[in-house]
Amino acid sequence: RGGGGGRALVEAFVQAARVAGASEVRLVTTPDGPAAGFYRHLGWHGAGTRLGADGALVEEFRFPL
């Protein structure tokens, strides 16, 4: 934690999506965990909460490319 590995993984994912021609990337995480703040810090936009495929509450984030 704090070593830059998470940021590097997210940046690689975003770059791969750009190369593939995507116009936006999305992800979901638990709304009460530390990841939500991490994604906001990286410039992702919260798109609200909803039920995930397993019925658990998730927070969706989007990042326009």
Side-chain angles (χ1 to χ4, degrees), residues 5 10 15 31-32 34 46-47:
V10 172
Q15 183 60 24
D32 55 351

Side-chain angles (χ1 to χ4, degrees), residues 14-35:
V14 169
Q15 183 60 24
R18 276 192 183 106
V19 169
S23 61
E24 176 183 71
V25 289
R26 299 178 185 189
L27 61 84
V28 296
T29 189
T30 57
D32 55 351

Side-chain angles (χ1 to χ4, degrees), residues 25 27 39-40 42-48 59-64:
V25 289
L27 61 84
Y39 293 118
R40 283 189 185 91
L42 295 181
W44 290 67
H45 306 284
E59 185 169 3
E60 182 174 341
F61 285 86
R62 297 178 183 181
F63 191 87

